[in-house]
Amino acid sequence: QGVVLMDEPANKVYPMPLDTSDQDIVFVGRIREDITDERGLNLWCCGDQVRKGAATNTVQIAELVLGIN
């Protein structure tokens, strides 16, 4: 919930910062194996850092702590 996969390299579809502003959703794409860790992945994440990165996360953590939702 709250994450959208955009990973179609053949069609040049992957997340771009310009497409993610003014929303809480985080977009993920360009998923690749990590060559430095056999259990790792590399991926590209884009989201509105002010909206989701600061404000929404603070509210969501407070809701968890207070048992709301």
Side-chain angles (χ1 to χ4, degrees):
Q1 185 177 2
V3 178
V4 172
L5 176 63
M6 291 180 69
D7 194 26
E8 297 179 38
N11 296 320
K12 297 183 181 178
V13 174
Y14 44 85
M16 297 297 292
L18 185 60
D19 300 327
T20 63
S21 61
D22 297 324
Q23 54 189 320
D24 294 339
I25 299 170
V26 174
F27 293 82
V28 178
R30 303 187 78 167
I31 301 170
R32 307 288 183 268
E33 290 182 42
D34 185 340
I35 62 171
T36 65
D37 185 341
E38 64 185 38
R39 296 177 297 169
L41 292 174
N42 289 319
L43 48 92
W44 179 258
C45 297
C46 291
D48 189 322
Q49 298 302 305
V50 173
R51 184 170 166 152
K52 177 61 180 169
T56 304
N57 283 351
T58 302
V59 171
Q60 289 173 334
I61 291 167
E63 288 174 345
L64 284 171
V65 169
L66 298 173
I68 301 169
N69 285 345

